[in-house]
Amino acid sequence: MRRFGSLADGTEIFEYTLQNARGMQVRFITYGGIITSICVPDRGGRLANVALGFDNLTQYAGEHPYFGAITGRYANRIAGGRFVLDGVAYELAKNDGCNSLHGGAVGFDKRVWQAQEQSGAVELRYRSPSGEEGYPGALDVVVTYALDDDNALHIEYSAKADAPTVLNLTNHSYFNLLGEGAGSIEAHILTINADQYTPTDAGQIPTGELAPVAGSPFDFRVPKAIAPGQRSAHPQILAAKGYDHNFVLRRDGLAAGEPGFAARVYEPTSGRILEVWTSEPGLQFYAGNMLDSSLVGSSGRLYRQSDGLALETQHFPDSPNQPCFPSTVLRPGDRFQSTTMYKFMTD
């Protein structure tokens, strides 16, 4: 642990480091639970940071696209910043046009988490008071980062509420397997274990349809480069300026809460591979469409459009307003639990 800096109100922020026997290293801070770097080897054993981000607290405390952060209380979008639960309407903070995104104006990504070191892991805790950003019920959240010797980063999410509420948690890391700041991810080879995705309207809110990926740029059931689809004229791609969509993961034969294979990314030049395994029903694939050259990363290089990709394990966007989607309601006496693993390897 080391001091990473202080916020404007004087709150000190600390950085923690996890390192395994093979030299892989993961760093994160108590502000937003943000993962600041993930150093993994290429096929020649050379280590490089493959996570986009900054080397200072000032940039993280400013405007940025959720680099590496825990997002909640509700990751992704809620239409109109509004939902009804048990007959009561709740109005949320609107920070994405008329919608609420990633928990609102001051979501979990901008909160200070309390850290406790464990053997090979660090536990982060945050208590979200009732009414924070408009959400009902006080919520106690625990997120644990652990690193094993097989180069897998495990993220365990757990939460309990004292009143009915809705909850959707994820990590918003951006990856570039060539290395942070090394250029575009469009030549990365992607596989997603999904037969369907959820199309969106002009505000990127799901229409409620579960559309087949077959015959569309959303078909990643077999490995293919990101670039052709990212540049296609498909109406969904044009509306989102690229990939920014939720995929309905196949969970055939898996028990509730059991992690299953979600996605695989391969970068041919370095030989690095990232596999994503999760107990969640959905995966948001975002190809960094809105990255621009106003952002200078930890390497001192500018980030441009599609210089990183996010694979956010999640429940579906706008689920509180979509009765046919898997429920995101958390009730008193129940515990929310979710597991995601990012496994790194080489060809």
Side-chain angles (χ1 to χ4, degrees), residues 38-41 48-53 67 173-188 226 265-270 272-274 286-287 291 299 301-311 344:
I38 302 174
C39 289
V40 294
N49 174 25
V50 297
L52 275 61
F67 284 143
S173 288
Y174 290 70
F175 301 100
N176 187 323
L177 298 185
L178 266 174
E180 174 272 332
S184 175
I185 50 81
E186 289 188 339
H188 284 40
I226 293 168
V265 188
Y266 169 56
E267 197 293 298
T269 302
S270 67
R272 292 189 181 95
I273 297 167
L274 166 61
Y286 174 50
L291 294 176
S299 62
R301 289 173 284 196
L302 298 173
Y303 294 151
R304 298 178 175 84
Q305 186 179 31
S306 295
D307 275 2
L309 63 90
L311 296 167
F344 294 89

mmCIF file of all heavy atoms in Angstrom, residues 38-41 48-53 67 173-188 226 265-270 272-274 286-287 291 299 301-311 344:
data_model
loop_
_atom_site.group_PDB
_atom_site.id
_atom_site.type_symbol
_atom_site.label_atom_id
_atom_site.label_comp_id
_atom_site.label_asym_id
_atom_site.label_seq_id
_atom_site.Cartn_x
_atom_site.Cartn_y
_atom_site.Cartn_z
ATOM 1 N N ILE A 38 -2.778 -3.054 -15.037
ATOM 2 C CA ILE A 38 -2.701 -4.521 -15.032
ATOM 3 C C ILE A 38 -1.499 -4.888 -15.898
ATOM 4 O O ILE A 38 -1.551 -4.737 -17.127
ATOM 5 C CB ILE A 38 -3.977 -5.167 -15.601
ATOM 6 C CG1 ILE A 38 -5.217 -4.740 -14.799
ATOM 7 C CG2 ILE A 38 -3.848 -6.687 -15.614
ATOM 8 C CD1 ILE A 38 -6.529 -5.215 -15.395
ATOM 9 N N CYS A 39 -0.426 -5.336 -15.278
ATOM 10 C CA CYS A 39 0.798 -5.676 -16.011
ATOM 11 C C CYS A 39 0.867 -7.183 -16.228
ATOM 12 O O CYS A 39 0.867 -7.953 -15.260
ATOM 13 C CB CYS A 39 2.034 -5.200 -15.253
ATOM 14 S SG CYS A 39 2.221 -3.409 -15.255
ATOM 15 N N VAL A 40 0.902 -7.586 -17.501
ATOM 16 C CA VAL A 40 0.945 -9.003 -17.860
ATOM 17 C C VAL A 40 1.994 -9.222 -18.945
ATOM 18 O O VAL A 40 2.297 -8.304 -19.719
ATOM 19 C CB VAL A 40 -0.436 -9.507 -18.337
ATOM 20 C CG1 VAL A 40 -1.450 -9.474 -17.208
ATOM 21 C CG2 VAL A 40 -0.938 -8.687 -19.509
ATOM 22 N N PRO A 41 2.538 -10.434 -19.052
ATOM 23 C CA PRO A 41 3.583 -10.693 -20.050
ATOM 24 C C PRO A 41 3.019 -10.940 -21.442
ATOM 25 O O PRO A 41 1.878 -11.382 -21.598
ATOM 26 C CB PRO A 41 4.265 -11.949 -19.509
ATOM 27 C CG PRO A 41 3.200 -12.671 -18.741
ATOM 28 C CD PRO A 41 2.345 -11.590 -18.139
ATOM 29 N N ALA A 48 3.832 -5.613 -19.751
ATOM 30 C CA ALA A 48 3.304 -4.313 -20.151
ATOM 31 C C ALA A 48 1.956 -4.115 -19.466
ATOM 32 O O ALA A 48 1.227 -5.080 -19.191
ATOM 33 C CB ALA A 48 3.142 -4.213 -21.663
ATOM 34 N N ASN A 49 1.638 -2.863 -19.181
ATOM 35 C CA ASN A 49 0.332 -2.508 -18.638
ATOM 36 C C ASN A 49 -0.696 -2.539 -19.759
ATOM 37 O O ASN A 49 -0.543 -1.857 -20.770
ATOM 38 C CB ASN A 49 0.405 -1.111 -18.008
ATOM 39 C CG ASN A 49 -0.965 -0.619 -17.551
ATOM 40 O OD1 ASN A 49 -1.859 -1.401 -17.272
ATOM 41 N ND2 ASN A 49 -1.112 0.691 -17.474
ATOM 42 N N VAL A 50 -1.764 -3.319 -19.588
ATOM 43 C CA VAL A 50 -2.783 -3.461 -20.642
ATOM 44 C C VAL A 50 -4.097 -2.777 -20.268
ATOM 45 O O VAL A 50 -5.108 -2.978 -20.942
ATOM 46 C CB VAL A 50 -3.037 -4.948 -20.964
ATOM 47 C CG1 VAL A 50 -1.771 -5.606 -21.514
ATOM 48 C CG2 VAL A 50 -3.566 -5.712 -19.746
ATOM 49 N N ALA A 51 -4.096 -1.963 -19.203
ATOM 50 C CA ALA A 51 -5.304 -1.265 -18.762
ATOM 51 C C ALA A 51 -5.132 0.240 -18.937
ATOM 52 O O ALA A 51 -4.144 0.818 -18.486
ATOM 53 C CB ALA A 51 -5.596 -1.584 -17.298
ATOM 54 N N LEU A 52 -6.085 0.879 -19.598
ATOM 55 C CA LEU A 52 -6.030 2.324 -19.773
ATOM 56 C C LEU A 52 -6.278 3.024 -18.441
ATOM 57 O O LEU A 52 -7.063 2.541 -17.613
ATOM 58 C CB LEU A 52 -7.067 2.791 -20.793
ATOM 59 C CG LEU A 52 -6.662 2.742 -22.272
ATOM 60 C CD1 LEU A 52 -6.326 1.340 -22.728
ATOM 61 C CD2 LEU A 52 -7.763 3.349 -23.148
ATOM 62 N N GLY A 53 -5.624 4.170 -18.272
ATOM 63 C CA GLY A 53 -5.808 4.927 -17.039
ATOM 64 C C GLY A 53 -4.752 5.998 -16.882
ATOM 65 O O GLY A 53 -4.026 6.329 -17.831
ATOM 66 N N PHE A 67 -12.609 4.998 -16.339
ATOM 67 C CA PHE A 67 -11.462 4.108 -16.434
ATOM 68 C C PHE A 67 -11.313 3.266 -15.172
ATOM 69 O O PHE A 67 -11.105 3.777 -14.071
ATOM 70 C CB PHE A 67 -10.172 4.903 -16.635
ATOM 71 C CG PHE A 67 -9.972 5.449 -18.014
ATOM 72 C CD1 PHE A 67 -9.383 6.693 -18.199
ATOM 73 C CD2 PHE A 67 -10.346 4.741 -19.138
ATOM 74 C CE1 PHE A 67 -9.182 7.213 -19.481
ATOM 75 C CE2 PHE A 67 -10.153 5.248 -20.426
ATOM 76 C CZ PHE A 67 -9.571 6.486 -20.591
ATOM 77 N N SER A 173 -13.044 -1.435 -16.549
ATOM 78 C CA SER A 173 -11.686 -1.361 -17.093
ATOM 79 C C SER A 173 -11.712 -1.371 -18.615
ATOM 80 O O SER A 173 -12.547 -2.030 -19.240
ATOM 81 C CB SER A 173 -10.836 -2.535 -16.602
ATOM 82 O OG SER A 173 -10.509 -2.376 -15.236
ATOM 83 N N TYR A 174 -10.777 -0.614 -19.203
ATOM 84 C CA TYR A 174 -10.545 -0.612 -20.642
ATOM 85 C C TYR A 174 -9.248 -1.356 -20.912
ATOM 86 O O TYR A 174 -8.220 -1.060 -20.287
ATOM 87 C CB TYR A 174 -10.386 0.813 -21.174
ATOM 88 C CG TYR A 174 -11.622 1.655 -21.185
ATOM 89 C CD1 TYR A 174 -12.195 2.118 -20.005
ATOM 90 C CD2 TYR A 174 -12.219 2.051 -22.390
ATOM 91 C CE1 TYR A 174 -13.316 2.935 -20.013
ATOM 92 C CE2 TYR A 174 -13.339 2.878 -22.411
ATOM 93 C CZ TYR A 174 -13.879 3.307 -21.218
ATOM 94 O OH TYR A 174 -14.984 4.127 -21.234
ATOM 95 N N PHE A 175 -9.272 -2.274 -21.860
ATOM 96 C CA PHE A 175 -8.104 -3.102 -22.158
ATOM 97 C C PHE A 175 -7.547 -2.801 -23.545
ATOM 98 O O PHE A 175 -8.294 -2.532 -24.491
ATOM 99 C CB PHE A 175 -8.476 -4.584 -22.083
ATOM 100 C CG PHE A 175 -9.007 -5.030 -20.755
ATOM 101 C CD1 PHE A 175 -10.373 -5.172 -20.559
ATOM 102 C CD2 PHE A 175 -8.149 -5.299 -19.705
ATOM 103 C CE1 PHE A 175 -10.878 -5.576 -19.339
ATOM 104 C CE2 PHE A 175 -8.643 -5.700 -18.471
ATOM 105 C CZ PHE A 175 -10.015 -5.841 -18.287
ATOM 106 N N ASN A 176 -6.231 -2.872 -23.660
ATOM 107 C CA ASN A 176 -5.539 -2.901 -24.945
ATOM 108 C C ASN A 176 -4.390 -3.883 -24.772
ATOM 109 O O ASN A 176 -3.430 -3.606 -24.043
ATOM 110 C CB ASN A 176 -5.016 -1.524 -25.332
ATOM 111 C CG ASN A 176 -4.434 -1.504 -26.741
ATOM 112 O OD1 ASN A 176 -3.804 -2.453 -27.177
ATOM 113 N ND2 ASN A 176 -4.639 -0.406 -27.454
ATOM 114 N N LEU A 177 -4.500 -5.057 -25.400
ATOM 115 C CA LEU A 177 -3.525 -6.121 -25.163
ATOM 116 C C LEU A 177 -2.181 -5.861 -25.829
ATOM 117 O O LEU A 177 -1.199 -6.547 -25.536
ATOM 118 C CB LEU A 177 -4.101 -7.466 -25.600
ATOM 119 C CG LEU A 177 -5.365 -7.919 -24.848
ATOM 120 C CD1 LEU A 177 -5.779 -9.323 -25.281
ATOM 121 C CD2 LEU A 177 -5.175 -7.873 -23.338
ATOM 122 N N LEU A 178 -2.109 -4.860 -26.703
ATOM 123 C CA LEU A 178 -0.811 -4.401 -27.206
ATOM 124 C C LEU A 178 -0.051 -3.647 -26.130
ATOM 125 O O LEU A 178 1.175 -3.604 -26.119
ATOM 126 C CB LEU A 178 -0.998 -3.480 -28.407
ATOM 127 C CG LEU A 178 -0.947 -4.071 -29.802
ATOM 128 C CD1 LEU A 178 -1.313 -2.996 -30.823
ATOM 129 C CD2 LEU A 178 0.417 -4.652 -30.101
ATOM 130 N N GLY A 179 -0.807 -3.037 -25.218
ATOM 131 C CA GLY A 179 -0.250 -2.200 -24.166
ATOM 132 C C GLY A 179 -0.984 -0.881 -24.125
ATOM 133 O O GLY A 179 -1.447 -0.370 -25.156
ATOM 134 N N GLU A 180 -1.116 -0.342 -22.943
ATOM 135 C CA GLU A 180 -1.808 0.945 -22.753
ATOM 136 C C GLU A 180 -1.149 2.020 -23.601
ATOM 137 O O GLU A 180 0.072 2.165 -23.595
ATOM 138 C CB GLU A 180 -1.751 1.315 -21.264
ATOM 139 C CG GLU A 180 -2.287 2.675 -20.915
ATOM 140 C CD GLU A 180 -1.225 3.758 -21.004
ATOM 141 O OE1 GLU A 180 -0.035 3.454 -20.814
ATOM 142 O OE2 GLU A 180 -1.587 4.916 -21.281
ATOM 143 N N GLY A 181 -1.939 2.735 -24.388
ATOM 144 C CA GLY A 181 -1.421 3.812 -25.220
ATOM 145 C C GLY A 181 -0.734 3.349 -26.490
ATOM 146 O O GLY A 181 -0.112 4.153 -27.185
ATOM 147 N N ALA A 182 -0.866 2.054 -26.833
ATOM 148 C CA ALA A 182 -0.130 1.500 -27.980
ATOM 149 C C ALA A 182 -0.906 1.568 -29.285
ATOM 150 O O ALA A 182 -0.419 1.085 -30.310
ATOM 151 C CB ALA A 182 0.271 0.053 -27.691
ATOM 152 N N GLY A 183 -2.100 2.156 -29.280
ATOM 153 C CA GLY A 183 -2.857 2.276 -30.523
ATOM 154 C C GLY A 183 -4.208 1.617 -30.465
ATOM 155 O O GLY A 183 -4.735 1.318 -29.385
ATOM 156 N N SER A 184 -4.777 1.337 -31.629
ATOM 157 C CA SER A 184 -6.144 0.865 -31.748
ATOM 158 C C SER A 184 -6.290 -0.607 -31.351
ATOM 159 O O SER A 184 -5.359 -1.409 -31.496
ATOM 160 C CB SER A 184 -6.622 1.039 -33.191
ATOM 161 O OG SER A 184 -7.906 0.477 -33.367
ATOM 162 N N ILE A 185 -7.516 -0.929 -30.892
ATOM 163 C CA ILE A 185 -7.853 -2.331 -30.579
ATOM 164 C C ILE A 185 -8.623 -2.986 -31.719
ATOM 165 O O ILE A 185 -9.082 -4.121 -31.581
ATOM 166 C CB ILE A 185 -8.662 -2.426 -29.267
ATOM 167 C CG1 ILE A 185 -9.859 -1.456 -29.258
ATOM 168 C CG2 ILE A 185 -7.775 -2.156 -28.063
ATOM 169 C CD1 ILE A 185 -11.077 -1.880 -29.978
ATOM 170 N N GLU A 186 -8.759 -2.314 -32.858
ATOM 171 C CA GLU A 186 -9.618 -2.830 -33.915
ATOM 172 C C GLU A 186 -9.095 -4.117 -34.550
ATOM 173 O O GLU A 186 -9.869 -4.867 -35.143
ATOM 174 C CB GLU A 186 -9.839 -1.760 -34.978
ATOM 175 C CG GLU A 186 -10.723 -0.620 -34.492
ATOM 176 C CD GLU A 186 -11.107 0.333 -35.606
ATOM 177 O OE1 GLU A 186 -10.406 0.370 -36.642
ATOM 178 O OE2 GLU A 186 -12.122 1.035 -35.452
ATOM 179 N N ALA A 187 -7.787 -4.399 -34.421
ATOM 180 C CA ALA A 187 -7.241 -5.655 -34.949
ATOM 181 C C ALA A 187 -7.276 -6.783 -33.920
ATOM 182 O O ALA A 187 -6.907 -7.916 -34.234
ATOM 183 C CB ALA A 187 -5.810 -5.439 -35.443
ATOM 184 N N HIS A 188 -7.700 -6.489 -32.686
ATOM 185 C CA HIS A 188 -7.867 -7.547 -31.697
ATOM 186 C C HIS A 188 -8.920 -8.540 -32.200
ATOM 187 O O HIS A 188 -9.906 -8.154 -32.843
ATOM 188 C CB HIS A 188 -8.329 -6.971 -30.361
ATOM 189 C CG HIS A 188 -7.260 -6.274 -29.565
ATOM 190 N ND1 HIS A 188 -6.312 -5.463 -30.131
ATOM 191 C CD2 HIS A 188 -7.007 -6.265 -28.221
ATOM 192 C CE1 HIS A 188 -5.515 -4.976 -29.184
ATOM 193 N NE2 HIS A 188 -5.908 -5.460 -28.022
ATOM 194 N N ILE A 226 -12.262 -7.022 -34.605
ATOM 195 C CA ILE A 226 -13.265 -6.032 -34.235
ATOM 196 C C ILE A 226 -13.538 -5.054 -35.379
ATOM 197 O O ILE A 226 -14.669 -4.611 -35.589
ATOM 198 C CB ILE A 226 -12.811 -5.282 -32.967
ATOM 199 C CG1 ILE A 226 -12.805 -6.248 -31.768
ATOM 200 C CG2 ILE A 226 -13.692 -4.071 -32.688
ATOM 201 C CD1 ILE A 226 -12.107 -5.700 -30.544
ATOM 202 N N VAL A 265 -10.414 -12.380 -25.923
ATOM 203 C CA VAL A 265 -9.769 -11.402 -26.795
ATOM 204 C C VAL A 265 -8.337 -11.868 -27.038
ATOM 205 O O VAL A 265 -7.624 -12.219 -26.092
ATOM 206 C CB VAL A 265 -9.744 -9.997 -26.170
ATOM 207 C CG1 VAL A 265 -9.246 -8.975 -27.186
ATOM 208 C CG2 VAL A 265 -11.113 -9.600 -25.658
ATOM 209 N N TYR A 266 -7.925 -11.844 -28.303
ATOM 210 C CA TYR A 266 -6.568 -12.248 -28.675
ATOM 211 C C TYR A 266 -5.930 -11.127 -29.480
ATOM 212 O O TYR A 266 -6.533 -10.586 -30.413
ATOM 213 C CB TYR A 266 -6.623 -13.530 -29.504
ATOM 214 C CG TYR A 266 -5.330 -13.915 -30.177
ATOM 215 C CD1 TYR A 266 -4.152 -14.081 -29.448
ATOM 216 C CD2 TYR A 266 -5.284 -14.128 -31.555
ATOM 217 C CE1 TYR A 266 -2.964 -14.440 -30.071
ATOM 218 C CE2 TYR A 266 -4.097 -14.484 -32.180
ATOM 219 C CZ TYR A 266 -2.949 -14.639 -31.435
ATOM 220 O OH TYR A 266 -1.764 -14.984 -32.057
ATOM 221 N N GLU A 267 -4.687 -10.781 -29.114
ATOM 222 C CA GLU A 267 -3.938 -9.757 -29.843
ATOM 223 C C GLU A 267 -2.761 -10.445 -30.521
ATOM 224 O O GLU A 267 -1.833 -10.899 -29.844
ATOM 225 C CB GLU A 267 -3.483 -8.659 -28.877
ATOM 226 C CG GLU A 267 -3.064 -7.369 -29.537
ATOM 227 C CD GLU A 267 -1.810 -7.503 -30.369
ATOM 228 O OE1 GLU A 267 -0.762 -7.843 -29.779
ATOM 229 O OE2 GLU A 267 -1.867 -7.292 -31.610
ATOM 230 N N PRO A 268 -2.745 -10.564 -31.850
ATOM 231 C CA PRO A 268 -1.759 -11.395 -32.545
ATOM 232 C C PRO A 268 -0.308 -10.946 -32.407
ATOM 233 O O PRO A 268 0.595 -11.783 -32.369
ATOM 234 C CB PRO A 268 -2.212 -11.319 -34.019
ATOM 235 C CG PRO A 268 -3.643 -10.926 -33.970
ATOM 236 C CD PRO A 268 -3.775 -10.045 -32.774
ATOM 237 N N THR A 269 -0.048 -9.655 -32.350
ATOM 238 C CA THR A 269 1.338 -9.178 -32.311
ATOM 239 C C THR A 269 2.035 -9.561 -31.012
ATOM 240 O O THR A 269 3.155 -10.074 -31.021
ATOM 241 C CB THR A 269 1.380 -7.644 -32.491
ATOM 242 O OG1 THR A 269 0.761 -7.305 -33.728
ATOM 243 C CG2 THR A 269 2.811 -7.139 -32.483
ATOM 244 N N SER A 270 1.370 -9.330 -29.885
ATOM 245 C CA SER A 270 1.959 -9.636 -28.578
ATOM 246 C C SER A 270 1.733 -11.079 -28.160
ATOM 247 O O SER A 270 2.460 -11.612 -27.320
ATOM 248 C CB SER A 270 1.366 -8.715 -27.508
ATOM 249 O OG SER A 270 -0.010 -9.007 -27.309
ATOM 250 N N ARG A 272 -0.850 -11.890 -26.503
ATOM 251 C CA ARG A 272 -1.630 -11.854 -25.259
ATOM 252 C C ARG A 272 -3.085 -12.241 -25.518
ATOM 253 O O ARG A 272 -3.676 -11.898 -26.547
ATOM 254 C CB ARG A 272 -1.590 -10.463 -24.622
ATOM 255 C CG ARG A 272 -0.225 -10.059 -24.084
ATOM 256 C CD ARG A 272 -0.322 -8.761 -23.271
ATOM 257 N NE ARG A 272 0.988 -8.364 -22.765
ATOM 258 C CZ ARG A 272 1.807 -7.502 -23.366
ATOM 259 N NH1 ARG A 272 1.436 -6.938 -24.517
ATOM 260 N NH2 ARG A 272 2.979 -7.201 -22.841
ATOM 261 N N ILE A 273 -3.648 -12.933 -24.541
ATOM 262 C CA ILE A 273 -5.041 -13.378 -24.579
ATOM 263 C C ILE A 273 -5.704 -12.981 -23.272
ATOM 264 O O ILE A 273 -5.116 -13.117 -22.191
ATOM 265 C CB ILE A 273 -5.131 -14.902 -24.763
ATOM 266 C CG1 ILE A 273 -4.529 -15.325 -26.114
ATOM 267 C CG2 ILE A 273 -6.577 -15.398 -24.649
ATOM 268 C CD1 ILE A 273 -4.298 -16.819 -26.235
ATOM 269 N N LEU A 274 -6.925 -12.494 -23.362
ATOM 270 C CA LEU A 274 -7.756 -12.226 -22.185
ATOM 271 C C LEU A 274 -9.040 -13.020 -22.319
ATOM 272 O O LEU A 274 -9.739 -12.911 -23.332
ATOM 273 C CB LEU A 274 -8.073 -10.735 -22.078
ATOM 274 C CG LEU A 274 -9.196 -10.338 -21.103
ATOM 275 C CD1 LEU A 274 -8.861 -10.740 -19.675
ATOM 276 C CD2 LEU A 274 -9.497 -8.848 -21.210
ATOM 277 N N TYR A 286 -17.931 -2.576 -25.279
ATOM 278 C CA TYR A 286 -17.779 -1.183 -25.685
ATOM 279 C C TYR A 286 -16.400 -1.023 -26.309
ATOM 280 O O TYR A 286 -15.389 -1.358 -25.688
ATOM 281 C CB TYR A 286 -17.944 -0.254 -24.479
ATOM 282 C CG TYR A 286 -17.665 1.203 -24.763
ATOM 283 C CD1 TYR A 286 -18.263 1.853 -25.842
ATOM 284 C CD2 TYR A 286 -16.823 1.946 -23.943
ATOM 285 C CE1 TYR A 286 -18.021 3.197 -26.095
ATOM 286 C CE2 TYR A 286 -16.579 3.284 -24.183
ATOM 287 C CZ TYR A 286 -17.177 3.908 -25.261
ATOM 288 O OH TYR A 286 -16.928 5.224 -25.517
ATOM 289 N N ALA A 287 -16.365 -0.511 -27.537
ATOM 290 C CA ALA A 287 -15.114 -0.430 -28.292
ATOM 291 C C ALA A 287 -14.439 0.942 -28.200
ATOM 292 O O ALA A 287 -13.675 1.309 -29.092
ATOM 293 C CB ALA A 287 -15.364 -0.802 -29.754
ATOM 294 N N LEU A 291 -13.707 7.729 -26.900
ATOM 295 C CA LEU A 291 -12.386 8.186 -26.479
ATOM 296 C C LEU A 291 -11.907 9.263 -27.447
ATOM 297 O O LEU A 291 -12.138 9.184 -28.651
ATOM 298 C CB LEU A 291 -11.387 7.022 -26.466
ATOM 299 C CG LEU A 291 -11.635 5.920 -25.436
ATOM 300 C CD1 LEU A 291 -10.619 4.799 -25.612
ATOM 301 C CD2 LEU A 291 -11.570 6.473 -24.018
ATOM 302 N N SER A 299 1.043 6.412 -19.759
ATOM 303 C CA SER A 299 2.278 6.343 -20.542
ATOM 304 C C SER A 299 2.674 7.702 -21.108
ATOM 305 O O SER A 299 3.739 7.841 -21.727
ATOM 306 C CB SER A 299 2.098 5.364 -21.708
ATOM 307 O OG SER A 299 1.068 5.825 -22.573
ATOM 308 N N ARG A 301 0.922 9.083 -23.459
ATOM 309 C CA ARG A 301 0.409 9.107 -24.823
ATOM 310 C C ARG A 301 -1.078 9.406 -24.844
ATOM 311 O O ARG A 301 -1.803 9.090 -23.898
ATOM 312 C CB ARG A 301 0.695 7.767 -25.517
ATOM 313 C CG ARG A 301 2.180 7.572 -25.838
ATOM 314 C CD ARG A 301 2.478 6.186 -26.359
ATOM 315 N NE ARG A 301 2.473 5.190 -25.290
ATOM 316 C CZ ARG A 301 2.989 3.968 -25.402
ATOM 317 N NH1 ARG A 301 3.546 3.589 -26.543
ATOM 318 N NH2 ARG A 301 2.941 3.129 -24.393
ATOM 319 N N LEU A 302 -1.554 9.999 -25.924
ATOM 320 C CA LEU A 302 -2.953 10.356 -26.067
ATOM 321 C C LEU A 302 -3.794 9.126 -26.369
ATOM 322 O O LEU A 302 -3.362 8.218 -27.077
ATOM 323 C CB LEU A 302 -3.124 11.373 -27.202
ATOM 324 C CG LEU A 302 -2.425 12.723 -27.041
ATOM 325 C CD1 LEU A 302 -2.567 13.535 -28.327
ATOM 326 C CD2 LEU A 302 -3.015 13.488 -25.866
ATOM 327 N N TYR A 303 -4.999 9.121 -25.830
ATOM 328 C CA TYR A 303 -5.969 8.095 -26.174
ATOM 329 C C TYR A 303 -6.891 8.626 -27.266
ATOM 330 O O TYR A 303 -7.435 9.723 -27.154
ATOM 331 C CB TYR A 303 -6.815 7.712 -24.956
ATOM 332 C CG TYR A 303 -6.063 7.031 -23.843
ATOM 333 C CD1 TYR A 303 -6.481 7.165 -22.527
ATOM 334 C CD2 TYR A 303 -4.940 6.246 -24.099
ATOM 335 C CE1 TYR A 303 -5.818 6.534 -21.483
ATOM 336 C CE2 TYR A 303 -4.268 5.611 -23.070
ATOM 337 C CZ TYR A 303 -4.709 5.755 -21.755
ATOM 338 O OH TYR A 303 -4.041 5.137 -20.732
ATOM 339 N N ARG A 304 -7.071 7.816 -28.285
ATOM 340 C CA ARG A 304 -7.959 8.173 -29.388
ATOM 341 C C ARG A 304 -9.078 7.151 -29.492
ATOM 342 O O ARG A 304 -9.071 6.132 -28.806
ATOM 343 C CB ARG A 304 -7.169 8.255 -30.698
ATOM 344 C CG ARG A 304 -6.081 9.329 -30.687
ATOM 345 C CD ARG A 304 -5.282 9.339 -31.990
ATOM 346 N NE ARG A 304 -4.317 10.430 -32.030
ATOM 347 C CZ ARG A 304 -3.101 10.387 -31.492
ATOM 348 N NH1 ARG A 304 -2.699 9.291 -30.873
ATOM 349 N NH2 ARG A 304 -2.293 11.421 -31.574
ATOM 350 N N GLN A 305 -10.026 7.430 -30.368
ATOM 351 C CA GLN A 305 -11.165 6.526 -30.537
ATOM 352 C C GLN A 305 -10.694 5.102 -30.782
ATOM 353 O O GLN A 305 -9.785 4.861 -31.575
ATOM 354 C CB GLN A 305 -12.040 6.997 -31.698
ATOM 355 C CG GLN A 305 -13.317 6.193 -31.862
ATOM 356 C CD GLN A 305 -14.175 6.693 -33.009
ATOM 357 O OE1 GLN A 305 -13.651 7.204 -34.003
ATOM 358 N NE2 GLN A 305 -15.480 6.555 -32.896
ATOM 359 N N SER A 306 -11.301 4.154 -30.045
ATOM 360 C CA SER A 306 -11.010 2.716 -30.171
ATOM 361 C C SER A 306 -9.591 2.351 -29.745
ATOM 362 O O SER A 306 -9.042 1.358 -30.209
ATOM 363 C CB SER A 306 -11.281 2.219 -31.600
ATOM 364 O OG SER A 306 -12.656 2.324 -31.903
ATOM 365 N N ASP A 307 -8.998 3.116 -28.828
ATOM 366 C CA ASP A 307 -7.693 2.745 -28.270
ATOM 367 C C ASP A 307 -7.821 1.804 -27.074
ATOM 368 O O ASP A 307 -6.808 1.400 -26.490
ATOM 369 C CB ASP A 307 -6.902 3.991 -27.864
ATOM 370 C CG ASP A 307 -6.135 4.603 -29.034
ATOM 371 O OD1 ASP A 307 -6.247 4.072 -30.159
ATOM 372 O OD2 ASP A 307 -5.421 5.605 -28.822
ATOM 373 N N GLY A 308 -9.040 1.446 -26.719
ATOM 374 C CA GLY A 308 -9.269 0.494 -25.642
ATOM 375 C C GLY A 308 -10.666 -0.077 -25.752
ATOM 376 O O GLY A 308 -11.559 0.529 -26.365
ATOM 377 N N LEU A 309 -10.874 -1.263 -25.187
ATOM 378 C CA LEU A 309 -12.196 -1.890 -25.191
ATOM 379 C C LEU A 309 -12.577 -2.277 -23.775
ATOM 380 O O LEU A 309 -11.727 -2.610 -22.954
ATOM 381 C CB LEU A 309 -12.226 -3.106 -26.118
ATOM 382 C CG LEU A 309 -11.332 -4.299 -25.793
ATOM 383 C CD1 LEU A 309 -12.043 -5.312 -24.890
ATOM 384 C CD2 LEU A 309 -10.855 -4.997 -27.052
ATOM 385 N N ALA A 310 -13.867 -2.203 -23.499
ATOM 386 C CA ALA A 310 -14.397 -2.619 -22.203
ATOM 387 C C ALA A 310 -15.282 -3.836 -22.388
ATOM 388 O O ALA A 310 -16.036 -3.933 -23.360
ATOM 389 C CB ALA A 310 -15.186 -1.486 -21.560
ATOM 390 N N LEU A 311 -15.178 -4.772 -21.450
ATOM 391 C CA LEU A 311 -16.020 -5.967 -21.417
ATOM 392 C C LEU A 311 -16.642 -6.011 -20.026
ATOM 393 O O LEU A 311 -16.078 -6.582 -19.092
ATOM 394 C CB LEU A 311 -15.190 -7.221 -21.709
ATOM 395 C CG LEU A 311 -14.569 -7.282 -23.109
ATOM 396 C CD1 LEU A 311 -13.512 -8.384 -23.192
ATOM 397 C CD2 LEU A 311 -15.642 -7.500 -24.179
ATOM 398 N N PHE A 344 -5.593 -13.962 -17.946
ATOM 399 C CA PHE A 344 -4.606 -13.564 -18.950
ATOM 400 C C PHE A 344 -3.666 -14.723 -19.252
ATOM 401 O O PHE A 344 -3.265 -15.468 -18.355
ATOM 402 C CB PHE A 344 -3.804 -12.367 -18.445
ATOM 403 C CG PHE A 344 -4.615 -11.110 -18.290
ATOM 404 C CD1 PHE A 344 -5.265 -10.841 -17.085
ATOM 405 C CD2 PHE A 344 -4.761 -10.225 -19.330
ATOM 406 C CE1 PHE A 344 -6.039 -9.692 -16.931
ATOM 407 C CE2 PHE A 344 -5.522 -9.067 -19.200
ATOM 408 C CZ PHE A 344 -6.162 -8.805 -17.994
#
